[in-house]
Amino acid sequence: MGSNVLALDGVSAYYGDSLVLQEVSFSLGEGRLLGLLGRNGAGKSTCMNVAAGLLSPRNGHLEFFGETVTEIKPEELAHLGVSLVPQERRIFKSLTVYENLAVAARQPPWTHRDPWEFSTVFAAFPRLGERHKQVAGSLSGGEQQMLAIARALMSNPRILLMDEPSEGLAPQIVMEVIDTVSRLKEQGLSIILVEQNPKLVFGIADDIVILNSGRVVLTGTAADLNPKNLDLTEYLGIF
């Protein structure tokens, strides 16, 4: 296991006066995929918002490669190499596929592997290449999700945060999305994946964090916490 690239350390976070995260601590190892699981309302998306700098914790720290970045603005954190594929995609529907990608394009100095650019993105997502002149709002749900992932990759991130990328997609498209995530992991990208379907996560994750009511209740490797080895119904329900 490599060094930690991102960590939440004792993070408590609020929306207004409502406490959502309670002293949450977990870390993402370099080149690893961490699956963040929990029932609806457990605090998964809030963790992603904290990790992306969109929500400042009331207590605790956010660390990036060992440096505290709790007070850094989200655009500054993005320039450091954190990229979010948000829930519900949030693509620019009035722009073309090409324009959505161009908005995010960046060639930062930390890129050691072949950088993500239009040619590499269209090779990874051929349908986007075929539709590069098409207005994004006219794409299918699966194609819009692929565009959201591709847009995040165009920033050449060091860390990719993915918040329920399979939500609302047909089963065949879900498997395409998961295959894409698996390929990114194989390329050495550090990833946090939030998903409602534990089976999908356990199939590709290195490490697992389970949240319940805003607290971390279980952590470990995917192998150790695999439902075949441990009954997780108490934390995740029946699956």
Side-chain angles (χ1 to χ4, degrees):
M1 182 185 296
S3 60
N4 292 332
V5 297
L6 187 72
L8 275 66
D9 182 13
V11 165
S12 294
Y14 290 71
Y15 289 126
D17 294 328
S18 299
L19 177 61
V20 182
L21 298 181
Q22 305 178 57
E23 298 182 356
V24 167
S25 296
F26 64 82
S27 58
L28 171 65
E30 188 169 12
R32 295 179 73 82
L33 192 152
L34 184 149
L36 189 58
L37 299 173
R39 293 185 174 95
N40 284 333
K44 305 182 299 296
S45 291
T46 303
C47 285
M48 300 294 264
N49 287 336
V50 170
L54 299 172
L55 179 65
S56 297
R58 191 79 58 89
N59 298 298
H61 304 283
L62 176 66
E63 297 181 358
F64 182 79
F65 284 90
E67 298 291 331
T68 299
V69 293
T70 310
E71 302 301 326
I72 288 183
K73 296 178 181 179
E75 59 269 25
E76 295 173 330
L77 199 55
H79 279 291
L80 289 176
V82 179
S83 189
L84 172 67
V85 180
Q87 195 174 20
E88 300 176 354
R89 301 153 198 157
R90 300 180 193 171
I91 60 171
F92 301 110
K93 293 187 177 182
S94 63
L95 301 182
T96 65
V97 168
Y98 185 94
E99 289 167 339
N100 267 271
L101 298 175
V103 166
R106 184 166 66 247
Q107 297 295 328
W110 58 75
T111 301
H112 300 296
R113 63 182 68 87
D114 292 338
W116 289 98
E117 50 193 15
F118 289 104
S119 60
T120 49
V121 162
F122 290 150
F125 304 96
R127 275 177 289 179
L128 296 184
E130 294 168 2
R131 294 159 173 75
H132 70 277
K133 295 182 180 180
Q134 190 169 327
V135 173
S138 66
L139 299 174
S140 69
E143 290 165 349
Q144 289 186 19
Q145 186 60 71
M146 293 297 182
L147 177 57
I149 297 171
R151 183 182 60 182
L153 293 175
M154 286 292 287
S155 69
N156 282 286
R158 302 167 82 180
I159 297 169
L160 186 63
L161 309 174
M162 309 187 76
D163 195 355
E164 300 197 26
S166 72
E167 184 178 28
L169 300 181
Q172 181 179 352
I173 304 302
V174 169
M175 295 316 301
E176 290 185 27
V177 170
I178 294 302
D179 286 345
T180 298
V181 177
S182 182
R183 291 199 307 270
L184 295 174
K185 172 192 169 185
E186 291 172 0
Q187 294 171 13
L189 189 57
S190 305
I191 302 170
I192 298 180
L193 174 65
V194 169
E195 262 299 336
Q196 285 291 336
N197 189 331
K199 291 181 181 179
L200 295 178
V201 176
F202 276 98
I204 60 174
D206 298 300
D207 306 297
I208 298 290
V209 173
I210 299 178
L211 296 174
N212 192 3
S213 299
R215 294 182 180 273
V216 173
V217 293
L218 208 58
T219 63
T221 66
D224 289 341
L225 299 183
N226 193 296
K228 295 179 181 179
N229 305 325
L230 185 66
D231 184 3
L232 299 178
T233 56
E234 176 184 354
Y235 308 103
L236 299 173
I238 297 174
F239 60 93

